Amino acid sequence: MENTVVASGFSPRVPLLRVRSSSTEIYNYNKQQTIRMANSLVDETTASGAYNRPPSVFRNFVSRDPTSQFPAESERYHLYMSYACPWACRCLAYLKLKGLDKAISFTSVKPIWEKTKEGDEHTGWIFPVSSAEEPGAEPDPLNGAKSIRALYDIASSNYSGRFTVPVLWDKKQKTIVSNESSDILRMFNSEFNDIAENPALDLYPKPLQAKIDEVNEWVYDGINNGVYKCGFAIKQGPYNEAVTKLYQTLDKCEEILSKQRYLCGNTLTEADIRLFVTLIRFDEVYGVYFKCNKKLIREYPNLFNYTKDIFQLPGISSTVNMEHIKRHYYGSHPSINPSGVIPIGPCTDYSAPHDRERFGS
């Protein structure tokens, strides 16, 4: 489990940032320990050859309390995201499901990483120059930023971590509220209900919270982050360990979904959205690109129909841009795919009928 500490001696535009610490590292700005800027996710590997995802740094929270530092207000916040990124797309899925996409604006970056700044070799998320340059992507409408990295520079003069999406941006204070998708999901679920078009939808209901947290933990470790641990492993041992756990966890999901419509029962919850964003990318990308080819999602009857079921929820299909997904993965990591060639298939039709109604609505 990860712990939370408060970092001081840091100079963003907001007073405090909470920084998570793992069992191996603590990021303490008082001691002038900074997060290493990686050129790409491939660089985040340990000496053992295993992939190790760094923690998010901006961990502030929007609150329904009007006196809070970041009160929930219509048209105050903006979600910067990428259709390629599963972590960002689960936030967009919440905007759609909760009916917040009119109150909280959003912008997608281009799918393929490019150099973010003259003078170094860092590659990352870039905004198009115009809306005509890249279908599905838009220029930054708020700050005129050329890259996500530039937004981090605006929010903090001495930030040296990874320049990731999603970014929840406060238009009033011109700063990053949060770059941690799990926190953003909780904000969107409960804190904006006074302005949401679908406030009754609760994806983190109190009676199921302990169960959701438990499921989230093993799904994240085995599947959400598990596919990355497979794909970015640079030695056989860590890959074998990760891929074994991945398929054990997929088998566990398949068994659960043979008995109920969703992961935590017959009610759609946060756990389902978090799993869905990985499943929808699996056959098109992870099975090939991340060497997760033992078995594809379409070979699991329950997981496959479950994926179609969630894809067909109102608004969810609009969060899936398979062209952006495939172009990003196959085109942004030259150490994995030097040629940048994109496989043509399998082009699965997730709008096809599914059998999940057998468990009821």
Side-chain angles (χ1 to χ4, degrees), residues 6 35 39 44 121 125 142 159 165 217 239 321 337 344:
V6 177
I35 302 174
N39 188 49
E44 302 293 351
E121 295 303 312
W125 302 112
L142 303 178
Y159 178 79
V165 289
E217 186 172 352
Y239 166 78
N321 186 323
N337 187 28
I344 194 171

Side-chain angles (χ1 to χ4, degrees), residues 20 70 104 106 112 138 156 161 179 196 274 276 279-280 318:
R20 290 184 295 175
F70 298 103
I104 301 173
F106 66 93
I112 298 178
E138 297 284 343
S156 168
N179 65 344
R274 288 170 57 123
F276 168 78
L279 298 183
I280 199 71
S318 70

Side-chain angles (χ1 to χ4, degrees), residues 40-257:
S40 76
L41 290 173
V42 185
D43 296 333
E44 302 293 351
T45 53
T46 65
S48 69
Y51 171 65
N52 182 39
R53 184 179 296 276
S56 299
V57 172
F58 288 85
R59 301 294 299 275
N60 297 286
F61 211 87
V62 174
S63 171
R64 70 183 74 183
D65 180 356
T67 66
S68 67
Q69 183 185 358
F70 298 103
E73 298 174 357
S74 182
E75 300 184 0
R76 173 167 176 168
Y77 300 97
H78 189 85
L79 180 69
Y80 289 104
M81 49 81 65
S82 166
Y83 285 107
C85 174
W87 319 100
C89 283
R90 62 192 194 182
C91 298
L92 183 60
Y94 263 57
L95 281 190
K96 299 294 185 177
L97 290 170
K98 291 288 294 185
L100 285 168
D101 48 328
K102 294 177 182 176
I104 301 173
S105 51
F106 66 93
T107 301
S108 177
V109 293
K110 295 166 65 175
I112 298 178
W113 284 350
E114 300 175 21
K115 288 187 65 173
T116 58
K117 191 174 185 179
E118 292 298 326
D120 64 48
E121 295 303 312
H122 178 267
T123 58
W125 302 112
I126 299 293
F127 294 99
V129 174
S130 70
S131 57
E133 179 186 345
E134 182 73 55
E138 297 284 343
D140 175 19
L142 303 178
N143 303 288
K146 303 301 182 185
S147 67
I148 292 294
R149 178 180 181 176
L151 297 176
Y152 281 79
D153 289 341
I154 294 171
S156 168
S157 61
N158 65 346
Y159 178 79
S160 57
R162 295 169 61 225
F163 309 109
T164 58
V165 289
V167 166
L168 185 62
W169 184 265
D170 181 1
K171 300 177 188 178
K172 285 189 176 180
Q173 298 189 48
K174 294 186 181 300
T175 195
I176 297 172
V177 179
S178 179
N179 65 344
E180 172 50 58
S181 63
S182 60
D183 290 350
I184 296 172
L185 295 188
R186 299 285 169 88
M187 295 180 222
F188 288 174
N189 184 63
S190 62
E191 302 307 303
F192 290 88
N193 278 341
D194 289 344
I195 56 177
E197 293 181 354
N198 192 9
L201 176 66
D202 186 359
L203 296 168
Y204 191 60
K206 194 171 183 62
L208 291 176
Q209 286 179 3
K211 180 66 173 177
I212 293 168
D213 289 343
E214 174 198 346
V215 171
N216 283 348
E217 186 172 352
W218 56 258
V219 166
Y220 170 82
D221 186 47
I223 300 176
N224 297 143
N225 199 41
V227 293
Y228 285 87
K229 289 190 286 187
C230 293
F232 293 145
I234 57 174
K235 293 184 180 179
Q236 191 68 44
Y239 166 78
N240 290 345
E241 180 180 348
V243 79
T244 298
K245 179 176 284 190
L246 167 66
Y247 281 100
Q248 288 173 345
T249 312
L250 286 172
D251 289 344
K252 182 176 182 178
C253 289
E254 177 72 5
E255 174 64 20
I256 290 171
L257 294 171

Side-chain angles (χ1 to χ4, degrees), residues 32 148 299:
Q32 297 182 334
I148 292 294
E299 298 176 79

Side-chain angles (χ1 to χ4, degrees), residues 253-320:
C253 289
E254 177 72 5
E255 174 64 20
I256 290 171
L257 294 171
S258 71
K259 302 172 183 176
Q260 57 197 40
R261 187 161 187 172
Y262 303 112
L263 285 177
C264 296
N266 288 324
T267 300
L268 179 76
T269 70
E270 172 186 295
D272 300 297
I273 303 305
R274 288 170 57 123
L275 176 59
F276 168 78
V277 294
T278 300
L279 298 183
I280 199 71
R281 289 161 173 77
F282 199 98
D283 289 10
E284 297 279 358
V285 175
Y286 304 144
V288 178
Y289 196 60
F290 282 174
K291 312 174 190 72
C292 302
N293 63 345
K294 180 181 177 182
K295 193 173 181 180
L296 299 176
I297 299 305
R298 62 181 181 271
E299 298 176 79
Y300 289 94
N302 295 301
L303 274 170
F304 184 43
N305 280 282
Y306 165 85
T307 305
K308 291 189 287 184
D309 187 10
I310 296 178
F311 178 83
Q312 292 171 34
L313 291 172
I316 295 298
S317 64
S318 70
T319 72
V320 180

Side-chain angles (χ1 to χ4, degrees), residues 11-32:
S11 59
R13 292 175 181 264
V14 291
L16 291 177
L17 296 179
R18 289 180 296 164
V19 182
R20 290 184 295 175
S21 65
S22 68
S23 59
T24 57
E25 285 186 286
I26 295 179
Y27 300 95
N28 188 328
Y29 290 94
N30 257 346
K31 296 182 180 179
Q32 297 182 334

